[in-house]
Amino acid sequence: MKPLSQAAVRGLMIAAQGLQQRPPAPATKADVRRMIRQMQVLQIDTIHVVARSPYLVLWSRLGDYASRWLDELLTERALFEYWSHAACFLPAEDYPLYRRIMLDQRTWLGHRWRHWMESHAGLVDGLLAHIRENGAVRSADFERTDGASGGWWNWKDEKTALEGLWLRGDLMVARRHHFQRIYDLRERVLPPDWDDARSPALEAVYETFVLNTVKALGVTKAAWIVDYYRLHMYMPKRVVLKLIDRMAHQGQLQPVAVEGWEVPGYFHPDHREVVEAAADGQIPLSTTTLLSPFDPLVWDRARAQELFSFTYQIECYTPAPKRQYGYFTLPILYNNALIGRLDPKAHRKEGVFEVKALHLEPGVIVDDALVAALKRALHACAAWHKTPQVIVRQAAEPGLAARLSG
């Protein structure tokens, strides 16, 4: 096979992620499930200055769709939640992989979690007995009694216990209500005929994670494979790299030379035809869209920097005076490039989609084609949020804010 250009790798990754140009047909509920299967994982985050991240990731790929479909797929057991790249929605057919991780005492919890669960065994056992007798619960069902204020990580003990039982596999997320998790016993969520013997060996789990990653990334370096499922949580990085090398020698992964890379790229054997086409110049082209900070295309910041020359950091955790671009900036994908970012806020009551600032990367040419494509994407995102009026407050390029507003 001919060596791939880095432009081809970008196009192949975009296509593998479902971000290529979309057909005009409206999205369906089945498309939501298919897209999660294509990405393999859908990271969960609760920040909602615009739509919460998992819903936005799907919109970037599907366009206008009913966000309730994601909640329904969880309730219908087509999806489940567990820790993967982070807390994620995952295809139900992958549950046996994660069940093996839960069952393996070396990997299901870090030392600090195990110590906390053991030192609070009375609370943990009592909470489990309460759910068994009274049914599913939310963290909000339990009042805080220590006088401390809540926060991202300042959890009350019941919340910590629920999370620990979820990680351990005793509880599952049965459904969500107003995005709050509702926890129930594993045996009441899984099919009644579930048998732990169906879970594969750990080595097979890790091999599947590697294969799934290569499918999801199109063409990738070995170093980028490690991050997708956070395999370094389960074994040293050098052991993961040895696993990848062995799988390549066995033909499970296909190596390919990439111009400018000193190491091989890898792709899944099922993708040979499209990779060969890209090597011959038939490179998939992206849609124009906005991306969540937790989108798989950009969540590995080092990969985004190396492949797309896009330096990106989410700044919601940065003190306001030190922010460079804004609280929750969304990368802009256009013509197979990450051309900039914008800082949005959806004012739902007023029906206004506000862009506080829009920043383009150095060297981006603002021509009519870019303006038209970006305006379509911005207004489509606003319409999906039911905030049809778009107001762009600031853009570095003269006149661009006015051209995009309306």
Side-chain angles (χ1 to χ4, degrees), residues 331-369:
I332 304 167
L333 178 65
Y334 170 75
N335 199 23
N336 284 13
L338 294 169
I339 64 164
R341 68 207 84 199
L342 55 83
D343 182 23
K345 182 172 178 57
H347 301 274
R348 294 169 179 84
K349 290 183 179 180
E350 296 83 5
V352 172
F353 193 89
E354 178 189 18
V355 177
K356 298 178 181 180
L358 188 150
H359 305 269
L360 295 179
E361 293 292 280
V364 171
I365 298 173
V366 181
D367 56 18
D368 290 345

Side-chain angles (χ1 to χ4, degrees), residues 240-255:
V240 182
L241 296 177
K242 285 182 180 179
L243 171 63
I244 294 166
D245 186 63
R246 175 174 62 77
M247 292 176 68
H249 279 90
Q250 292 174 344
Q252 295 171 279
L253 304 176
Q254 297 293 302

Side-chain angles (χ1 to χ4, degrees), residues 189-212:
V189 177
L190 289 175
D193 61 348
W194 170 258
D195 185 346
D196 280 345
R198 290 162 53 186
S199 297
L202 269 177
E203 184 74 8
V205 171
Y206 298 145
E207 288 183 0
T208 302
F209 284 166
V210 170
L211 289 170
N212 286 353

Side-chain angles (χ1 to χ4, degrees), residues 9-10 22 55 88-89 126 139 141 154 174-175 181 191 199 206 243 273 298 308 312 345 347 381 395 398:
V9 173
R10 286 191 288 271
R22 291 189 291 263
Y55 303 104
C88 291
F89 292 109
S139 170
D141 293 336
N154 187 20
R175 60 192 183 278
R181 284 175 171 164
S199 297
Y206 298 145
L243 171 63
E273 185 175 341
V298 297
F308 290 91
Y312 180 62
K345 182 172 178 57
H347 301 274
C381 188

Side-chain angles (χ1 to χ4, degrees), residues 27-44:
T28 66
K29 187 174 176 179
D31 289 329
V32 172
R33 183 176 184 179
R34 174 186 57 80
M35 191 54 65
I36 297 171
R37 173 76 280 173
Q38 185 168 338
M39 294 184 291
Q40 308 294 341
V41 299
L42 178 59
Q43 184 174 342
I44 299 168

Side-chain angles (χ1 to χ4, degrees), residues 57-206:
V57 169
L58 291 168
W59 173 84
S60 298
R61 290 154 174 78
L62 300 173
D64 190 23
Y65 79 100
S67 57
R68 72 175 186 280
W69 291 340
L70 179 59
D71 306 304
E72 291 173 0
L73 288 168
L74 177 66
T75 303
E76 295 163 4
R77 314 294 191 253
L79 304 174
F80 73 103
E81 291 187 32
Y82 197 63
W83 194 267
S84 185
H85 178 83
C88 291
F89 292 109
L90 302 159
E93 57 269 27
D94 284 356
Y95 178 78
L97 304 172
Y98 292 91
R99 182 61 183 158
R100 172 51 57 198
I101 289 173
M102 298 173 200
L103 292 167
D104 188 85
Q105 296 299 304
R106 294 167 299 170
T107 59
W108 63 259
L109 286 177
H111 172 73
R112 291 179 63 185
W113 271 102
R114 282 200 303 271
H115 176 74
W116 192 96
M117 297 284 282
E118 290 166 0
S119 63
H120 294 76
L123 170 67
V124 171
D125 293 344
L127 182 57
L128 202 54
H130 172 84
I131 296 171
R132 184 171 290 111
E133 182 176 349
N134 299 289
V137 300
R138 304 169 302 158
S139 170
D141 293 336
F142 303 94
E143 294 184 5
R144 187 164 205 133
T145 57
D146 59 4
S149 60
W152 276 334
W153 305 116
N154 187 20
W155 292 345
K156 55 194 170 188
D157 285 347
E158 288 82 2
K159 169 66 173 175
T160 305
L162 288 169
E163 291 291 301
L165 287 164
W166 171 68
L167 286 169
R168 204 167 73 183
D170 297 301
L171 299 180
M172 294 184 71
V173 179
R175 60 192 183 278
R176 282 179 177 260
H177 182 66
H178 298 311
F179 212 67
Q180 292 185 40
R181 284 175 171 164
I182 298 178
Y183 301 85
D184 206 347
L185 299 177
R186 179 185 72 252
E187 55 266 31
R188 293 205 286 244
V189 177
L190 289 175
D193 61 348
W194 170 258
D195 185 346
D196 280 345
R198 290 162 53 186
S199 297
L202 269 177
E203 184 74 8
V205 171
Y206 298 145

